Amino acid sequence: TSDMFGFEKQVSIWSKQLTALEVTEAYGAGTPPNLTLHSAVANLVGYWKFDDTDTTTTIIDYSTAAHNGVVIDEQNFYCHRH
């Protein structure tokens, strides 16, 4: 494992390597997209959005896999795959 330093607005995990066209479709506008509308959504394994205003301890997985996460503290979260 390795640490990542910085701030993330969202994290997505795909079951395949996205093509350049698919990456452009998802992120080409430069704003966080709604990946549940992406043409390769069938390959979306996990999709978590981090909302700075959310005060709950659950991080919702917006993919169909529904691997919700739990906030441990300001810097850590945990997702359990069933």
Side-chain angles (χ1 to χ4, degrees):
T1 65
S2 63
D3 293 336
M4 186 202 77
F5 298 97
F7 299 98
E8 294 295 322
K9 292 303 268 180
Q10 64 179 17
V11 172
S12 60
I13 299 174
W14 301 82
S15 63
K16 71 167 197 138
Q17 181 177 334
L18 297 179
T19 66
L21 184 61
E22 290 169 332
V23 171
T24 300
E25 176 190 346
Y27 300 102
T31 58
N34 180 352
L35 295 178
T36 60
L37 304 175
H38 193 276
S39 64
V41 71
N43 300 106
L44 187 59
V45 177
Y47 177 37
W48 301 270
K49 301 176 189 180
F50 301 102
D51 184 356
D52 295 337
T53 62
D54 192 353
T55 59
T56 66
T57 58
T58 300
I59 303 171
I60 296 172
D61 178 359
Y62 290 91
S63 76
T64 58
H67 298 302
N68 292 341
V70 176
V71 175
I72 297 170
D73 57 36
E74 289 182 5
Q75 298 176 353
N76 300 286
F77 75 96
Y78 172 78
C79 290
H80 176 69
R81 186 173 174 181
H82 300 285

